[in-house]
């Protein structure tokens, strides 16, 4: 019998997880049961993915850059990558603004709903935490992000998943230095990282064996902790605008894949599906990163030199889904609470700040909402209305986070293909299974 493709197994796990979650919400003890006995398996899976992120970035980026053998190639790849990231993100914001101004989801929200949402959520600890975090980020100097990118201790940087950009910085410095000492002297270290890279990719294969079960746990947990469906329905119009924007972005990526990369976009999406489904289930592009790298490199055929550079950077700075969501959410909040702030200049400011905010947003669940506070602040949104503004969108944030993270990952993968195509570094896929070598060692 033909083996069922991984993405189908994951999909079945997700559907069963949703059904199980729904079933459990109808029992009084169901929520506790899921939290005590099911959720830990999802948490373990996410921890395992994060566990391999640092060694993977380190090994593949150092190997990738040193394989380029040429500093000017590295420079032009860097510039091209950042430029394409900026273009796709700006486009996403444009799509978001276009849709939210056309469909005006804020105008259909009654005063009664605003009051209800305000009472339910505005003093919610989750919202307060997001505002405090945003204030902290806002108070920092404008160049703080550059300062934060540079580690003062490489081991510390590797010891903290939040410092991914510092690890990238260290790996780039090391990769460039490896090129500069010349082939012969670089050889031993290159071989070491090459082998480490292979090992970590094998770890991804092993971890992915548990993915169908883990997504069951993750989705069952999302369902039992979801908000009251009645409130969700009231925000349907707003959520639909975000989803429509995200779908437009998917179409855009598929067109780019078909016409620029010249590959069948449906085939590409199928290859990428496990990474997308994990992004959806975990709401974290950082957690999905190892799988995204493995799929893009082994199953789509983007050369390691490109994938190892473009994807880790993309996971941290390129967030099309997040920026689109921020544009829609910001204007939606203005439509409901502060219509006098809805002029053209403010919308232009939203484009700029949403672009910067999506670069600054961490690749973890809910980060987009923290940065939304900064977007709203930049257009002078009254601070006393801020908790109410966030309360308006809080109930649907998790499902939208799942979807925008999927787009974030799809965008990173698409850009890696575009960059690879432009450098002639797209080759035949060479997918490896976890047990390729099993017979020899069992
Ligand atoms: N969860 C998103 C990500 O990891 C960020 C966000 O939009 O909150 O890509």
């Amino acid at each position: 019998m033909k083996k069922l493709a991984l993405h189908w197994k994951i999909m079945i796990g997700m559907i069963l997880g949703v059904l199980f979650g729904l079933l459990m919400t109808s029992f009084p003890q169901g929520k506790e049961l899921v939290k005590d006995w099911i959720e830990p398996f999802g948490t373990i899976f996410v921890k395992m993915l994060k566990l391999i992120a640092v060694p993977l970035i380190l090994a593949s980026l150092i190997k990738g850059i040193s394989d380029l053998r040429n500093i000017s190639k590295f420079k032009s790849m860097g510039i091209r990558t950042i430029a394409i990231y900026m273009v796709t993100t700006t486009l996403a914001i444009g799509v978001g603004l276009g849709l939210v101004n056309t469909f005006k989801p804020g105008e259909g929200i009654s005063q009664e709903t605003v009051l209800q949402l305000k009472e339910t959520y505005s003093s919610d600890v989750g919202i307060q935490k997001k505002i405090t975090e945003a204030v902290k980020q806002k108070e920092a100097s404008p160049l703080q992000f550059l300062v934060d990118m540079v580690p003062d201790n490489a081991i510390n940087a590797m010891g903290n998943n939040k410092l991914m950009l510092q690890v990238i910085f260290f790996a780039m410095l090391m990769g460039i230095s490896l090129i500069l000492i010349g082939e012969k002297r670089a050889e031993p270290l290159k071989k070491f990282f090459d082998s480490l890279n292979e090992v970590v990719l094998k770890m991804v294969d092993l971890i992915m064996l548990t993915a169908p079960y883990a997504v069951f746990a993750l989705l069952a947990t999302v369902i039992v902790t979801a908000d009251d469906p009645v409130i969700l329905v009231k925000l349907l119009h707003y959520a639909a605008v975000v989803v429509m924007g995200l779908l437009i972005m998917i179409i855009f990526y598929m067109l780019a894949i078909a016409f620029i990369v010249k590959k069948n976009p449906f085939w590409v999406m199928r290859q990428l599906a496990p990474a997308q489904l994990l992004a959806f289930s975990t709401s974290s592009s950082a957690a999905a990163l190892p799988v995204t790298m493995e799929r893009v490199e082994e199953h789509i055929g983007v050369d390691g030199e490109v994938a190892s550079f473009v994807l880790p950077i993309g996971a941290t700075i390129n967030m099309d889904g997040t920026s689109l969501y921020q544009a829609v959410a910001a204007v939606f909040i203005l439509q409901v609470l502060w219509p006098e702030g809805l002029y053209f200049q403010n919308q232009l400011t939203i484009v700029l700040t949403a672009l910067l905010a999506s670069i600054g947003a961490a690749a973890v669940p809910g980060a987009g909402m923290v940065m939304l506070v900064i977007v709203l602040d930049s257009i002078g949104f009254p601070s006393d209305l801020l908790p109410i503004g966030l309360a308006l969108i809080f109930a649907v944030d998790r499902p939208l986070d799942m979807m925008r993270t999927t787009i974030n990952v799809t965008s990173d993968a698409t850009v890696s293909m575009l960059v690879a195509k432009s450098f002639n570094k797209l080759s035949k896929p060479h997918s490896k299974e976890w047990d390729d070598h099993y017979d020899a060692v069992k």
Side-chain angles (χ1 to χ4, degrees), residues 153-219:
N153 184 320
I155 307 292
N156 270 356
M158 289 172 212
N160 184 347
N161 275 329
K162 291 205 180 107
L163 302 179
M164 204 95 101
L165 277 178
Q166 294 198 354
V167 178
I168 294 174
F169 182 90
F170 176 74
M172 288 206 291
L173 198 59
M174 189 147 176
I176 295 171
S177 308
L178 264 178
I179 299 180
L180 288 174
I181 61 171
E183 277 278 328
K184 209 163 146 258
R185 275 182 296 172
E187 189 75 18
L189 209 49
K190 270 179 74 173
K191 277 197 172 144
F192 168 77
F193 283 116
D194 200 4
S195 168
L196 181 61
N197 192 31
E198 286 279 325
V199 172
V200 183
L201 284 173
K202 190 56 74 189
M203 289 162 94
V204 177
D205 288 340
L206 288 178
I207 294 169
M208 284 306 278
L209 290 176
T210 65
Y213 310 99
V215 292
F216 172 89
L218 288 166
L219 284 210

Side-chain angles (χ1 to χ4, degrees), residues 243-354:
V243 174
M244 204 189 314
L246 297 178
L247 287 175
I248 292 177
M249 290 312 291
I250 287 270
I251 296 173
F252 163 74
Y253 303 135
M254 291 180 76
L255 289 175
I257 291 167
F259 292 107
I260 305 176
V261 184
K262 299 211 164 33
K263 277 199 183 268
N264 178 344
F266 295 99
W267 174 83
V268 169
M269 290 298 151
R270 254 200 325 274
Q271 305 310 310
L272 199 59
Q276 292 168 318
L277 294 174
L278 284 198
F280 184 83
S281 310
T282 59
S283 292
S284 164
S285 10
L289 177 65
V291 185
T292 316
M293 288 177 78
E294 193 251 5
R295 298 307 294 188
V296 165
E297 237 183 281
E298 292 185 3
H299 296 258
I300 297 179
V302 172
D303 271 13
E305 290 128 73
V306 177
S308 65
F309 176 74
V310 178
L311 293 173
I313 293 184
T316 33
I317 71 165
N318 179 52
M319 296 193 179
D320 294 1
T322 301
S323 56
L324 184 144
Y325 147 85
Q326 281 167 343
V328 176
V331 173
F332 170 71
I333 292 172
L334 293 193
Q335 286 169 348
V336 180
L337 296 176
W338 199 49
E340 59 272 31
L342 266 172
Y343 42 88
F344 181 71
Q345 216 179 348
N346 266 353
Q347 307 233 8
L348 217 57
T349 314
I350 291 178
V351 176
L352 250 176
T353 44

Side-chain angles (χ1 to χ4, degrees), residues 130 279 282-287 314-315 318-319 321-323 325-326 358 361-371 397 400-402 404-409 412:
K130 287 193 193 309
T282 59
S283 292
S284 164
S285 10
N318 179 52
M319 296 193 179
T322 301
S323 56
Y325 147 85
Q326 281 167 343
S358 75
V364 296
M369 208 168 160
V370 174
M371 301 312 270
D397 195 59
L400 292 183
D401 194 2
M402 296 162 84
R404 64 189 191 241
T405 308
T406 311
I407 301 301
N408 291 345
V409 165
D412 296 342

